[in-house]
Amino acid sequence: MGSARLYLAVAVGGFRRYASYRVATAAGVFTNTVFGLILVYTYLALWEERPGLGGYDQAQAVTYVWLGQCLYATLAIQGGGAEKDLMERIRTGEIAVDLYRPVDLQVWWLAGDVGRAAFQLLGRGVVPFVFGSVFFPMALPGEAAVWAAFAVTLLLAAVVSFAIRYLAALSVFWLMDGMGVGQVLMITGVFFSGMVLPLNAFPEGLGDVVRVLPWAAQLQVPADVLMGERDPWGAFAFQAAWAVVLLAVGRLLQSAATRRVVVQGG
């Protein structure tokens, strides 16, 4: 119970930290709304030419756009979550202090990132999504059970997202710099998560591959559950499986990295 309270406090701290950046949050809301408008009209034109693309009608395509803008910062799809701080601490050697703490390193950073994600969802994600639902026809469910299942997929998506970024951050133990890794994380996050185009709309072959990768658990799976295009239990199993695998690999990599820590500078 004591450990649970500790990690809850870390999550609350992560929430409060990002809540203090009010101007940045307001700018993020404005940016996500503007980009949402651009993408919506692009999608509407595309779906006008290709009705039923990816198995979606226009209302579902619009819903997908605004959900993407809602989850963009929430899941740090382009990076910029806990991994950014972790990379810097590894680069400067401050990670040595973290390793002396009587806590689990991976769970500590996960808790902080969940707190960050919770704030980004409420502070930056909800407003663009509500804006979209007011001004555009969206395929939103009326059943509470669907919304509850969707909430579960969001939590699992946050864990998968963290696990991917945690692996990227740990690579700095060997690379000594996270700039290149951050760029790769940004490109893969945007493309493979479906931020540009729903993974369902990818060409056959490529689409079959990207839909089974862990990035699909971030946006595509929650979107399909919300719009009734996927069985919730199957979605939970897919996301949970990737979360367990990626966290386990992260723990193994963490063990290898910290077995013999080389702090930059000596």
Side-chain angles (χ1 to χ4, degrees):
M1 290 298 293
S3 296
R5 286 197 296 269
L6 171 63
Y7 295 123
L8 178 60
V10 173
V12 171
F15 186 99
R16 288 177 175 172
R17 174 189 174 188
Y18 281 85
S20 65
Y21 301 127
R22 297 177 183 177
V23 174
T25 299
V29 169
F30 176 78
T31 301
N32 286 130
T33 304
V34 171
F35 271 95
L37 288 169
I38 294 171
L39 283 173
V40 160
Y41 285 111
T42 302
Y43 273 38
L44 288 175
L46 178 59
W47 259 259
E48 186 70 28
E49 292 295 321
R50 295 284 304 276
L53 180 64
Y56 289 164
D57 57 28
Q58 281 193 338
Q60 290 175 313
V62 169
T63 305
Y64 187 91
V65 168
W66 290 113
L67 182 60
Q69 295 306 305
C70 174
L71 299 182
Y72 175 77
T74 301
L75 301 178
I77 287 176
Q78 245 186 328
E83 85 289 344
K84 183 177 180 181
D85 293 335
L86 180 55
M87 285 178 180
E88 182 63 16
R89 292 185 71 82
I90 295 172
R91 187 188 69 81
T92 61
E94 293 176 276
I95 190 66
V97 177
D98 299 339
L99 294 173
Y100 273 108
R101 292 194 180 112
V103 296
D104 185 285
L105 185 69
Q106 187 183 53
V107 180
W108 173 281
W109 285 98
L110 172 59
D113 198 62
V114 168
R116 176 206 59 80
F119 173 76
Q120 295 288 23
L121 176 64
L122 298 175
R124 182 170 171 174
V126 170
V127 173
F129 190 78
V130 171
F131 174 89
S133 68
V134 170
F135 292 99
F136 296 91
M138 290 172 60
L140 299 178
E143 301 83 9
V146 178
W147 284 103
F150 172 65
V152 174
T153 65
L154 291 188
L155 178 59
L156 291 170
V159 176
V160 172
S161 172
F162 166 79
I164 293 171
R165 291 179 283 112
Y166 190 71
L167 285 171
L170 291 177
S171 69
V172 181
F173 273 110
W174 290 273
L175 300 176
M176 292 298 183
D177 186 85
M179 185 173 295
V181 176
Q183 292 296 317
V184 172
L185 196 63
M186 177 182 70
I187 295 170
T188 55
V190 171
F191 182 78
F192 290 114
S193 69
M195 276 297 300
V196 177
L197 191 69
L199 301 182
N200 294 344
F202 276 41
E204 186 177 351
L206 177 60
D208 294 336
V209 172
V210 296
R211 284 193 294 272
V212 298
L213 295 178
W215 290 275
Q218 295 178 301
L219 176 56
Q220 187 67 61
V221 170
D224 284 342
V225 169
L226 181 66
M227 295 185 289
E229 293 292 326
R230 186 161 184 162
D231 172 59
W233 292 106
F236 300 160
F238 176 80
Q239 291 178 298
W242 270 119
V244 170
V245 169
L246 292 171
L247 289 174
V249 173
R251 190 162 290 275
L252 290 174
L253 192 61
Q254 172 186 305
S255 177
T258 57
R259 189 174 298 118
R260 182 180 177 185
V261 178
V262 177
V263 176
Q264 195 161 212

